[in-house]
Amino acid sequence: MRVRLTLSLLAIALVPLLILGIVGDREVTRRLQTETQTRLVEVATSRVRELETYFRTLQTAVGAIAQSPTVAALLTAPPDATTARRRFQGLLSVYTESVPYQDALLLAPTGAVQLALRPNPYPNAAANPQLQEAFAQATTLLEATISDWGRDPQTAEVSLFVSAPVLGEKGVLGAVVLRVSNRTLQRLVNQYGGLGRTGETLVLADLAGKPTFLAATRHDPDAAFRTTIDAQTPPAVARPITEAIAGTSGVGLVPDYRGVMTLAAWRYLPSLNGAAVVKIDAAELWAPIDQLRRLGLGFLGLTAIAVGLVATALAKALTNPPSN
């Protein structure tokens, strides 16, 4: 009789508490997940905005340089090499802070390198695939263009070329080309604000038919131009990257290139026709939830002990009333 009464009292006290705990846990988990996803999407949007601003700045700068009368004069009536280089360098100095370039070239309409600021390993645009791509697009489309990234066979440095046509009264006089390494891209990618201890940003572009990492990552310093997404990549790992390159944004739980489950947000990068993926390990995200659950279970356990003691004492009192 006493045992049944004790159990009944325990059930009356603990079942509502247990239900309240389960509902509260689900609500807290849902809110934390929603807040985390929202914060991650905001970081991804901010990263894409920074990257797009950087590449637009490159195009704007090279377009402004190409419109300078100094450049047209250097192409049509070049002075001696020393004077030409000094004038060209003086013009470029205006853009040094906003456009951290590694070299600047003036190309004739034939693609021959007419002037270079630094010792130049290219006799003409055809000597480098990315340089040829930038020159051909600029002089054909008549607008500032950006080549694909690539590892330069002469310098072994990862870089791209930004080019703009130089126009005169009789047509194309040549092109201005800036060679830009991935150092600034690496600096932008390596900003970890809001990404905790495990978060990182991946930037990829479709090179030779394969989405390719353009910068080192937090967990793989050798990822740039070595890690690719190909037919052997698990579909779950490839999905956010291929979707982003196709122009589809998203957010969700996905395994990353390490095989670790992460919460990721992915966005399209128009300037590179590529993808930006901002992610953070799921284990780090769920750590606060797990901690709250442990605290909740501890509180529930202590409450159960206290209720059990009270229920036992109350059952004893009810089953053994004091005698007169």
Side-chain angles (χ1 to χ4, degrees), residues 46-107:
S46 175
R47 289 290 185 277
V48 169
R49 188 182 301 116
E50 290 174 356
L51 291 167
E52 284 298 305
T53 298
Y54 168 62
F55 289 114
R56 281 198 301 269
T57 300
L58 290 178
Q59 290 176 292
T60 300
V62 77
I65 295 169
Q67 293 176 13
S68 169
T70 300
V71 170
L74 289 174
L75 285 169
T76 55
D80 62 272
T82 302
T83 302
R85 187 172 289 107
R86 186 176 64 250
R87 290 180 182 175
F88 193 32
Q89 194 164 22
L91 174 64
L92 292 169
S93 64
V94 178
Y95 302 93
T96 301
E97 291 186 3
S98 60
V99 183
Y101 59 89
Q102 276 58 60
D103 198 3
L105 313 173
L106 285 183
L107 274 64

Short mmCIF file of all heavy atoms in Angstrom, two decimals, residues 46-107:
data_model
loop_
_atom_site.label_atom_id
_atom_site.label_comp_id
_atom_site.label_asym_id
_atom_site.label_seq_id
_atom_site.Cartn_x
_atom_site.Cartn_y
_atom_site.Cartn_z
N SER A 46 27.99 38.27 -45.73
CA SER A 46 29.03 39.28 -45.56
C SER A 46 30.31 38.90 -46.29
O SER A 46 30.95 39.74 -46.94
CB SER A 46 29.31 39.47 -44.06
OG SER A 46 30.39 40.36 -43.85
N ARG A 47 30.70 37.62 -46.23
CA ARG A 47 31.92 37.16 -46.91
C ARG A 47 31.78 37.33 -48.42
O ARG A 47 32.70 37.79 -49.08
CB ARG A 47 32.18 35.69 -46.58
CG ARG A 47 32.64 35.42 -45.19
CD ARG A 47 34.06 35.92 -44.93
NE ARG A 47 34.49 35.51 -43.61
CZ ARG A 47 34.21 36.15 -42.48
NH1 ARG A 47 33.50 37.28 -42.54
NH2 ARG A 47 34.62 35.71 -41.32
N VAL A 48 30.63 36.94 -48.95
CA VAL A 48 30.41 37.07 -50.40
C VAL A 48 30.46 38.54 -50.80
O VAL A 48 31.04 38.89 -51.84
CB VAL A 48 29.07 36.43 -50.80
CG1 VAL A 48 28.71 36.79 -52.24
CG2 VAL A 48 29.15 34.92 -50.64
N ARG A 49 29.86 39.40 -49.98
CA ARG A 49 29.87 40.83 -50.28
C ARG A 49 31.32 41.36 -50.30
O ARG A 49 31.69 42.13 -51.18
CB ARG A 49 29.04 41.58 -49.25
CG ARG A 49 28.84 43.06 -49.60
CD ARG A 49 28.06 43.78 -48.52
NE ARG A 49 26.74 43.16 -48.32
CZ ARG A 49 26.36 42.57 -47.20
NH1 ARG A 49 27.18 42.50 -46.17
NH2 ARG A 49 25.16 42.04 -47.10
N GLU A 50 32.12 40.95 -49.34
CA GLU A 50 33.52 41.39 -49.29
C GLU A 50 34.30 40.91 -50.51
O GLU A 50 35.08 41.67 -51.11
CB GLU A 50 34.18 40.87 -48.01
CG GLU A 50 33.68 41.52 -46.74
CD GLU A 50 34.25 40.86 -45.49
OE1 GLU A 50 34.98 39.85 -45.65
OE2 GLU A 50 33.97 41.34 -44.38
N LEU A 51 34.09 39.64 -50.87
CA LEU A 51 34.81 39.09 -52.02
C LEU A 51 34.39 39.77 -53.31
O LEU A 51 35.23 40.11 -54.15
CB LEU A 51 34.57 37.58 -52.09
CG LEU A 51 35.21 36.74 -50.98
CD1 LEU A 51 34.64 35.32 -50.98
CD2 LEU A 51 36.73 36.68 -51.14
N GLU A 52 33.08 39.97 -53.47
CA GLU A 52 32.60 40.61 -54.69
C GLU A 52 33.09 42.06 -54.78
O GLU A 52 33.45 42.54 -55.86
CB GLU A 52 31.07 40.57 -54.74
CG GLU A 52 30.51 39.20 -55.10
CD GLU A 52 30.94 38.76 -56.48
OE1 GLU A 52 30.71 39.49 -57.45
OE2 GLU A 52 31.55 37.68 -56.57
N THR A 53 33.13 42.74 -53.64
CA THR A 53 33.64 44.11 -53.62
C THR A 53 35.10 44.14 -54.04
O THR A 53 35.53 45.03 -54.79
CB THR A 53 33.48 44.73 -52.22
OG1 THR A 53 32.08 44.77 -51.88
CG2 THR A 53 34.05 46.13 -52.16
N TYR A 54 35.86 43.18 -53.56
CA TYR A 54 37.28 43.11 -53.90
C TYR A 54 37.47 42.93 -55.41
O TYR A 54 38.25 43.66 -56.04
CB TYR A 54 37.93 41.95 -53.14
CG TYR A 54 39.31 41.58 -53.61
CD1 TYR A 54 40.36 42.49 -53.53
CD2 TYR A 54 39.57 40.31 -54.13
CE1 TYR A 54 41.63 42.15 -53.96
CE2 TYR A 54 40.84 39.97 -54.55
CZ TYR A 54 41.87 40.89 -54.47
OH TYR A 54 43.12 40.55 -54.89
N PHE A 55 36.73 42.00 -56.01
CA PHE A 55 36.91 41.75 -57.44
C PHE A 55 36.34 42.89 -58.29
O PHE A 55 36.90 43.20 -59.35
CB PHE A 55 36.27 40.40 -57.82
CG PHE A 55 37.02 39.22 -57.29
CD1 PHE A 55 36.47 38.39 -56.33
CD2 PHE A 55 38.30 38.95 -57.73
CE1 PHE A 55 37.17 37.31 -55.82
CE2 PHE A 55 39.02 37.87 -57.24
CZ PHE A 55 38.44 37.05 -56.27
N ARG A 56 35.28 43.51 -57.83
CA ARG A 56 34.77 44.68 -58.56
C ARG A 56 35.76 45.83 -58.51
O ARG A 56 35.93 46.58 -59.48
CB ARG A 56 33.41 45.12 -57.99
CG ARG A 56 32.23 44.29 -58.47
CD ARG A 56 30.92 45.02 -58.22
NE ARG A 56 30.73 45.32 -56.81
CZ ARG A 56 30.11 44.51 -55.96
NH1 ARG A 56 29.62 43.35 -56.39
NH2 ARG A 56 29.96 44.85 -54.70
N THR A 57 36.44 45.97 -57.35
CA THR A 57 37.46 47.01 -57.22
C THR A 57 38.59 46.78 -58.20
O THR A 57 39.11 47.72 -58.82
CB THR A 57 38.00 47.05 -55.77
OG1 THR A 57 36.93 47.33 -54.87
CG2 THR A 57 39.08 48.11 -55.62
N LEU A 58 39.00 45.52 -58.37
CA LEU A 58 40.03 45.19 -59.35
C LEU A 58 39.62 45.61 -60.75
O LEU A 58 40.39 46.25 -61.49
CB LEU A 58 40.32 43.69 -59.32
CG LEU A 58 41.03 43.11 -58.09
CD1 LEU A 58 41.17 41.60 -58.24
CD2 LEU A 58 42.39 43.74 -57.88
N GLN A 59 38.40 45.26 -61.13
CA GLN A 59 37.92 45.59 -62.47
C GLN A 59 37.79 47.10 -62.67
O GLN A 59 38.15 47.64 -63.72
CB GLN A 59 36.58 44.90 -62.74
CG GLN A 59 36.70 43.38 -62.87
CD GLN A 59 35.35 42.73 -63.04
OE1 GLN A 59 34.53 42.70 -62.12
NE2 GLN A 59 35.09 42.19 -64.22
N THR A 60 37.27 47.78 -61.65
CA THR A 60 37.11 49.23 -61.75
C THR A 60 38.46 49.92 -61.89
O THR A 60 38.64 50.84 -62.71
CB THR A 60 36.37 49.77 -60.51
OG1 THR A 60 35.08 49.16 -60.43
CG2 THR A 60 36.20 51.28 -60.60
N ALA A 61 39.43 49.47 -61.10
CA ALA A 61 40.76 50.09 -61.13
C ALA A 61 41.44 49.89 -62.47
O ALA A 61 41.99 50.84 -63.06
CB ALA A 61 41.62 49.53 -60.01
N VAL A 62 41.42 48.67 -62.99
CA VAL A 62 42.11 48.43 -64.26
C VAL A 62 41.39 49.15 -65.40
O VAL A 62 42.03 49.63 -66.36
CB VAL A 62 42.24 46.92 -64.54
CG1 VAL A 62 40.93 46.32 -65.03
CG2 VAL A 62 43.34 46.63 -65.55
N GLY A 63 40.06 49.30 -65.29
CA GLY A 63 39.33 50.06 -66.30
C GLY A 63 39.71 51.54 -66.28
O GLY A 63 39.86 52.16 -67.34
N ALA A 64 39.89 52.09 -65.08
CA ALA A 64 40.28 53.49 -64.97
C ALA A 64 41.69 53.70 -65.50
O ALA A 64 41.98 54.71 -66.16
CB ALA A 64 40.19 53.93 -63.51
N ILE A 65 42.58 52.76 -65.21
CA ILE A 65 43.96 52.87 -65.71
C ILE A 65 43.96 52.85 -67.24
O ILE A 65 44.68 53.62 -67.89
CB ILE A 65 44.82 51.73 -65.15
CG1 ILE A 65 44.96 51.88 -63.63
CG2 ILE A 65 46.21 51.72 -65.80
CD1 ILE A 65 45.56 50.66 -62.95
N ALA A 66 43.16 51.97 -67.82
CA ALA A 66 43.13 51.82 -69.28
C ALA A 66 42.61 53.08 -69.96
O ALA A 66 42.95 53.34 -71.13
CB ALA A 66 42.26 50.63 -69.67
N GLN A 67 41.81 53.88 -69.28
CA GLN A 67 41.25 55.10 -69.88
C GLN A 67 42.19 56.31 -69.75
O GLN A 67 41.90 57.37 -70.29
CB GLN A 67 39.92 55.43 -69.22
CG GLN A 67 38.83 54.41 -69.52
CD GLN A 67 37.54 54.70 -68.78
OE1 GLN A 67 37.36 55.77 -68.21
NE2 GLN A 67 36.63 53.73 -68.78
N SER A 68 43.30 56.13 -69.06
CA SER A 68 44.22 57.24 -68.87
C SER A 68 44.94 57.60 -70.17
O SER A 68 45.42 56.71 -70.89
CB SER A 68 45.26 56.89 -67.80
OG SER A 68 46.31 57.83 -67.78
N PRO A 69 45.05 58.87 -70.50
CA PRO A 69 45.80 59.28 -71.69
C PRO A 69 47.26 58.85 -71.63
O PRO A 69 47.88 58.63 -72.67
CB PRO A 69 45.68 60.81 -71.67
CG PRO A 69 44.45 61.09 -70.87
CD PRO A 69 44.39 60.02 -69.84
N THR A 70 47.80 58.74 -70.42
CA THR A 70 49.19 58.29 -70.27
C THR A 70 49.38 56.90 -70.86
O THR A 70 50.37 56.64 -71.56
CB THR A 70 49.58 58.28 -68.78
OG1 THR A 70 49.45 59.60 -68.25
CG2 THR A 70 51.02 57.81 -68.60
N VAL A 71 48.43 56.01 -70.60
CA VAL A 71 48.54 54.64 -71.12
C VAL A 71 48.44 54.64 -72.63
O VAL A 71 49.22 53.95 -73.32
CB VAL A 71 47.44 53.76 -70.49
CG1 VAL A 71 47.38 52.40 -71.19
CG2 VAL A 71 47.69 53.57 -69.00
N ALA A 72 47.51 55.39 -73.17
CA ALA A 72 47.38 55.46 -74.63
C ALA A 72 48.66 55.99 -75.26
O ALA A 72 49.12 55.48 -76.30
CB ALA A 72 46.19 56.34 -75.01
N ALA A 73 49.27 56.98 -74.63
CA ALA A 73 50.51 57.54 -75.17
C ALA A 73 51.65 56.54 -75.09
O ALA A 73 52.48 56.44 -76.02
CB ALA A 73 50.87 58.81 -74.39
N LEU A 74 51.70 55.76 -74.01
CA LEU A 74 52.77 54.76 -73.87
C LEU A 74 52.64 53.66 -74.92
O LEU A 74 53.64 53.06 -75.33
CB LEU A 74 52.72 54.15 -72.47
CG LEU A 74 53.16 55.08 -71.32
CD1 LEU A 74 52.92 54.39 -69.97
CD2 LEU A 74 54.63 55.46 -71.46
N LEU A 75 51.43 53.38 -75.36
CA LEU A 75 51.22 52.34 -76.36
C LEU A 75 51.44 52.85 -77.79
O LEU A 75 51.94 52.11 -78.65
CB LEU A 75 49.81 51.76 -76.23
CG LEU A 75 49.57 50.81 -75.06
CD1 LEU A 75 48.09 50.52 -74.89
CD2 LEU A 75 50.34 49.50 -75.25
N THR A 76 51.07 54.09 -78.04
CA THR A 76 51.16 54.60 -79.42
C THR A 76 52.49 55.27 -79.72
O THR A 76 52.98 55.20 -80.86
CB THR A 76 50.02 55.60 -79.67
OG1 THR A 76 50.06 56.63 -78.67
CG2 THR A 76 48.67 54.90 -79.62
N ALA A 77 53.07 55.92 -78.72
CA ALA A 77 54.35 56.60 -78.94
C ALA A 77 55.25 56.37 -77.73
O ALA A 77 55.51 57.29 -76.94
CB ALA A 77 54.12 58.10 -79.17
N PRO A 78 55.70 55.15 -77.55
CA PRO A 78 56.45 54.82 -76.33
C PRO A 78 57.80 55.53 -76.29
O PRO A 78 58.53 55.55 -77.28
CB PRO A 78 56.62 53.31 -76.43
CG PRO A 78 56.51 53.00 -77.88
CD PRO A 78 55.54 53.98 -78.43
N PRO A 79 58.14 56.11 -75.10
CA PRO A 79 59.48 56.67 -74.93
C PRO A 79 60.47 55.54 -74.63
O PRO A 79 60.15 54.36 -74.79
CB PRO A 79 59.29 57.59 -73.72
CG PRO A 79 58.20 56.94 -72.94
CD PRO A 79 57.28 56.31 -73.96
N ASP A 80 61.65 55.90 -74.17
CA ASP A 80 62.61 54.86 -73.81
C ASP A 80 62.06 54.06 -72.63
O ASP A 80 61.17 54.51 -71.90
CB ASP A 80 63.96 55.48 -73.44
CG ASP A 80 63.86 56.40 -72.23
OD1 ASP A 80 63.56 57.60 -72.44
OD2 ASP A 80 64.03 55.92 -71.10
N ALA A 81 62.58 52.86 -72.43
CA ALA A 81 62.03 51.92 -71.45
C ALA A 81 62.01 52.49 -70.04
O ALA A 81 61.03 52.33 -69.31
CB ALA A 81 62.82 50.62 -71.49
N THR A 82 63.07 53.17 -69.65
CA THR A 82 63.13 53.72 -68.28
C THR A 82 62.07 54.77 -68.06
O THR A 82 61.36 54.78 -67.05
CB THR A 82 64.53 54.31 -68.01
OG1 THR A 82 65.52 53.29 -68.21
CG2 THR A 82 64.62 54.85 -66.59
N THR A 83 61.94 55.69 -69.02
CA THR A 83 60.92 56.74 -68.90
C THR A 83 59.52 56.15 -68.92
O THR A 83 58.64 56.56 -68.15
CB THR A 83 61.07 57.75 -70.05
OG1 THR A 83 62.39 58.30 -70.03
CG2 THR A 83 60.05 58.87 -69.93
N ALA A 84 59.29 55.20 -69.80
CA ALA A 84 57.97 54.57 -69.89
C ALA A 84 57.60 53.87 -68.59
O ALA A 84 56.47 54.00 -68.09
CB ALA A 84 57.96 53.57 -71.04
N ARG A 85 58.57 53.15 -68.02
CA ARG A 85 58.28 52.44 -66.77
C ARG A 85 58.01 53.42 -65.64
O ARG A 85 57.13 53.19 -64.81
CB ARG A 85 59.47 51.53 -66.42
CG ARG A 85 59.20 50.60 -65.23
CD ARG A 85 60.32 49.59 -65.03
NE ARG A 85 60.31 48.60 -66.11
CZ ARG A 85 61.20 48.54 -67.09
NH1 ARG A 85 62.18 49.44 -67.17
NH2 ARG A 85 61.14 47.61 -68.02
N ARG A 86 58.74 54.54 -65.59
CA ARG A 86 58.54 55.53 -64.54
C ARG A 86 57.15 56.16 -64.66
O ARG A 86 56.44 56.35 -63.67
CB ARG A 86 59.62 56.60 -64.63
CG ARG A 86 59.56 57.60 -63.46
CD ARG A 86 60.69 58.61 -63.49
NE ARG A 86 60.63 59.46 -64.67
CZ ARG A 86 61.49 59.40 -65.69
NH1 ARG A 86 62.46 58.49 -65.70
NH2 ARG A 86 61.36 60.22 -66.73
N ARG A 87 56.74 56.50 -65.88
CA ARG A 87 55.41 57.09 -66.07
C ARG A 87 54.30 56.10 -65.71
O ARG A 87 53.31 56.47 -65.08
CB ARG A 87 55.25 57.54 -67.52
CG ARG A 87 56.11 58.74 -67.90
CD ARG A 87 55.87 59.11 -69.35
NE ARG A 87 56.72 60.22 -69.77
CZ ARG A 87 56.78 60.68 -71.02
NH1 ARG A 87 56.04 60.10 -71.98
NH2 ARG A 87 57.58 61.68 -71.32
N PHE A 88 54.48 54.87 -66.13
CA PHE A 88 53.49 53.84 -65.86
C PHE A 88 53.39 53.59 -64.35
O PHE A 88 52.29 53.48 -63.78
CB PHE A 88 53.86 52.56 -66.60
CG PHE A 88 52.77 51.52 -66.65
CD1 PHE A 88 51.43 51.88 -66.70
CD2 PHE A 88 53.08 50.16 -66.68
CE1 PHE A 88 50.42 50.92 -66.77
CE2 PHE A 88 52.08 49.21 -66.74
CZ PHE A 88 50.75 49.59 -66.79
N GLN A 89 54.52 53.53 -63.69
CA GLN A 89 54.53 53.30 -62.25
C GLN A 89 53.90 54.46 -61.50
O GLN A 89 53.18 54.27 -60.51
CB GLN A 89 55.97 53.09 -61.77
CG GLN A 89 56.07 52.51 -60.36
CD GLN A 89 57.45 51.96 -60.10
OE1 GLN A 89 58.43 52.35 -60.75
NE2 GLN A 89 57.56 51.05 -59.14
N GLY A 90 54.14 55.68 -61.98
CA GLY A 90 53.52 56.84 -61.36
C GLY A 90 52.01 56.79 -61.46
O GLY A 90 51.30 57.15 -60.51
N LEU A 91 51.50 56.34 -62.58
CA LEU A 91 50.06 56.22 -62.76
C LEU A 91 49.49 55.14 -61.83
O LEU A 91 48.45 55.33 -61.19
CB LEU A 91 49.75 55.88 -64.21
CG LEU A 91 48.29 55.56 -64.56
CD1 LEU A 91 47.40 56.77 -64.32
CD2 LEU A 91 48.18 55.10 -66.01
N LEU A 92 50.19 54.01 -61.74
CA LEU A 92 49.69 52.89 -60.95
C LEU A 92 49.76 53.15 -59.45
O LEU A 92 49.02 52.53 -58.67
CB LEU A 92 50.49 51.63 -61.27
CG LEU A 92 50.29 51.05 -62.68
CD1 LEU A 92 51.33 49.99 -62.96
CD2 LEU A 92 48.90 50.48 -62.83
N SER A 93 50.64 54.04 -59.03
CA SER A 93 50.81 54.31 -57.60
C SER A 93 49.52 54.80 -56.95
O SER A 93 49.31 54.64 -55.75
CB SER A 93 51.93 55.33 -57.37
OG SER A 93 51.58 56.59 -57.96
N VAL A 94 48.64 55.39 -57.75
CA VAL A 94 47.36 55.88 -57.24
C VAL A 94 46.50 54.70 -56.74
O VAL A 94 45.70 54.85 -55.81
CB VAL A 94 46.61 56.66 -58.32
CG1 VAL A 94 45.25 57.14 -57.82
CG2 VAL A 94 47.45 57.84 -58.80
N TYR A 95 46.69 53.53 -57.35
CA TYR A 95 45.83 52.39 -57.06
C TYR A 95 46.50 51.33 -56.20
O TYR A 95 45.92 50.28 -55.95
CB TYR A 95 45.38 51.73 -58.38
CG TYR A 95 44.65 52.68 -59.29
CD1 TYR A 95 45.32 53.40 -60.28
CD2 TYR A 95 43.28 52.88 -59.15
CE1 TYR A 95 44.66 54.27 -61.11
CE2 TYR A 95 42.60 53.76 -59.99
CZ TYR A 95 43.31 54.45 -60.96
OH TYR A 95 42.64 55.31 -61.78
N THR A 96 47.71 51.58 -55.73
CA THR A 96 48.47 50.55 -55.03
C THR A 96 47.76 50.05 -53.79
O THR A 96 47.74 48.84 -53.51
CB THR A 96 49.87 51.08 -54.65
OG1 THR A 96 50.55 51.48 -55.83
CG2 THR A 96 50.67 50.00 -53.93
N GLU A 97 47.16 50.95 -53.00
CA GLU A 97 46.53 50.54 -51.75
C GLU A 97 45.26 49.74 -51.99
O GLU A 97 45.00 48.75 -51.32
CB GLU A 97 46.24 51.77 -50.89
CG GLU A 97 47.50 52.45 -50.35
CD GLU A 97 47.15 53.57 -49.39
OE1 GLU A 97 45.95 53.75 -49.10
OE2 GLU A 97 48.08 54.25 -48.94
N SER A 98 44.44 50.18 -52.94
CA SER A 98 43.17 49.50 -53.18
C SER A 98 43.33 48.25 -54.03
O SER A 98 42.50 47.35 -53.98
CB SER A 98 42.17 50.45 -53.85
OG SER A 98 42.67 50.91 -55.09
N VAL A 99 44.40 48.20 -54.82
CA VAL A 99 44.62 47.05 -55.71
C VAL A 99 46.04 46.53 -55.48
O VAL A 99 47.00 47.01 -56.08
CB VAL A 99 44.44 47.45 -57.19
CG1 VAL A 99 44.62 46.23 -58.08
CG2 VAL A 99 43.09 48.09 -57.41
N PRO A 100 46.18 45.54 -54.62
CA PRO A 100 47.51 45.00 -54.33
C PRO A 100 47.97 44.04 -55.45
O PRO A 100 47.89 42.83 -55.32
CB PRO A 100 47.32 44.27 -53.01
CG PRO A 100 45.88 43.86 -53.02
CD PRO A 100 45.14 44.93 -53.78
N TYR A 101 48.48 44.60 -56.55
CA TYR A 101 48.89 43.79 -57.69
C TYR A 101 50.35 43.38 -57.56
O TYR A 101 51.14 44.01 -56.85
CB TYR A 101 48.67 44.55 -58.99
CG TYR A 101 49.43 45.86 -59.07
CD1 TYR A 101 50.72 45.90 -59.57
CD2 TYR A 101 48.85 47.05 -58.62
CE1 TYR A 101 51.42 47.09 -59.62
CE2 TYR A 101 49.55 48.23 -58.67
CZ TYR A 101 50.83 48.26 -59.17
OH TYR A 101 51.53 49.44 -59.21
N GLN A 102 50.73 42.31 -58.25
CA GLN A 102 52.11 41.83 -58.24
C GLN A 102 52.89 42.30 -59.48
O GLN A 102 54.11 42.40 -59.44
CB GLN A 102 52.15 40.30 -58.17
CG GLN A 102 52.02 39.76 -56.76
CD GLN A 102 50.74 40.20 -56.06
OE1 GLN A 102 49.64 39.92 -56.52
NE2 GLN A 102 50.88 40.89 -54.94
N ASP A 103 52.18 42.56 -60.56
CA ASP A 103 52.84 43.08 -61.75
C ASP A 103 51.79 43.78 -62.61
O ASP A 103 50.59 43.50 -62.51
CB ASP A 103 53.51 41.95 -62.55
CG ASP A 103 54.56 42.47 -63.54
OD1 ASP A 103 54.79 43.71 -63.55
OD2 ASP A 103 55.13 41.66 -64.28
N ALA A 104 52.26 44.69 -63.45
CA ALA A 104 51.38 45.41 -64.37
C ALA A 104 52.01 45.38 -65.75
O ALA A 104 53.22 45.59 -65.90
CB ALA A 104 51.16 46.84 -63.91
N LEU A 105 51.19 45.10 -66.76
CA LEU A 105 51.68 44.94 -68.12
C LEU A 105 50.89 45.83 -69.07
O LEU A 105 49.69 46.07 -68.88
CB LEU A 105 51.53 43.48 -68.59
CG LEU A 105 52.00 42.37 -67.64
CD1 LEU A 105 51.60 41.01 -68.21
CD2 LEU A 105 53.51 42.43 -67.44
N LEU A 106 51.56 46.29 -70.10
CA LEU A 106 50.91 46.91 -71.25
C LEU A 106 51.13 46.01 -72.45
O LEU A 106 52.28 45.68 -72.79
CB LEU A 106 51.48 48.30 -71.52
CG LEU A 106 51.09 49.43 -70.57
CD1 LEU A 106 51.70 50.75 -71.04
CD2 LEU A 106 49.57 49.56 -70.47
N LEU A 107 50.04 45.60 -73.08
CA LEU A 107 50.12 44.69 -74.21
C LEU A 107 49.71 45.41 -75.49
O LEU A 107 48.73 46.16 -75.50
CB LEU A 107 49.23 43.46 -73.99
CG LEU A 107 49.85 42.28 -73.22
CD1 LEU A 107 50.18 42.69 -71.79
CD2 LEU A 107 48.91 41.08 -73.23
#
